[in-house]
Amino acid sequence: MLWKKSGRATVEKRDLTDFIDEGSELEGTYTFAGTAMVNGKFRGEISSRDTLIVGDKARITATIRAGTVIVRGEVVGNVVATERIELSGAARVFGDIETPVLVVDEGVVFEGQCRMTKAKPVEAAPTRDLSVVAVKR
């Protein structure tokens, strides 16, 4: 994923690992790795540690949990992001959101509660104990 100076994500189609196009209607549990874009209808639950893009034509009725969530379409349901949520363009969100970083453009419709969380610290690599234990002979 590429980042502009404004911090907004720009994604090209070749950067996507999954794409659900308009005209598609799915129901169930959707999990993915990488960057996925949903531009169709989805009902159920979406879960990932990575980036979900809700496209302009998307109509999602689901609980969403992801690292980053970029909404340009419609989401009915709660959204939890561990990194950031961006509501842009003609986004419509009807549900509660929880995230450490929230970006809301002018003209967005958001009906719900927002809970700002602390960003999760980067986990340090586990340290190894290299101390020597005396051995009696």
Side-chain angles (χ1 to χ4, degrees):
M1 182 173 311
L2 304 173
W3 292 94
K4 291 182 179 179
K5 285 185 179 182
S6 68
R8 305 259 175 141
T10 60
V11 178
E12 296 182 25
K13 195 159 187 158
R14 71 175 191 275
D15 296 329
L16 297 175
T17 56
D18 199 16
F19 184 75
I20 298 173
D21 205 357
E22 63 181 301
S24 300
E25 292 186 33
L26 301 171
E27 186 172 337
T29 301
Y30 177 43
T31 59
F32 63 90
T35 300
M37 182 174 203
V38 176
N39 215 16
K41 292 181 181 178
F42 182 87
R43 177 182 294 276
E45 187 175 326
I46 299 174
S47 178
S48 177
R49 292 183 179 180
D50 298 317
T51 301
L52 172 69
I53 301 169
V54 177
D56 297 334
K57 307 287 184 187
R59 302 187 96 206
I60 295 177
T61 302
T63 298
I64 299 172
R65 295 182 184 282
T68 298
V69 180
I70 301 168
V71 180
R72 297 179 185 139
E74 181 177 296
V75 174
V76 177
N78 297 337
V79 181
V80 177
T82 56
E83 293 178 30
R84 69 189 288 129
I85 295 175
E86 295 182 17
L87 308 179
S88 62
R92 296 164 314 283
V93 177
F94 305 97
D96 298 341
I97 59 177
E98 182 176 327
T99 183
V101 176
L102 175 63
V103 178
V104 181
D105 284 352
E106 184 176 344
V108 165
V109 174
F110 169 54
E111 292 184 16
Q113 295 184 353
C114 176
R115 180 169 180 251
M116 301 299 289
T117 59
K118 291 185 179 180
K120 292 189 177 185
V122 177
E123 293 183 22
T127 57
R128 293 176 48 197
D129 183 4
L130 300 177
S131 59
V132 177
V133 177
V135 178
K136 289 188 178 183
R137 291 185 186 213

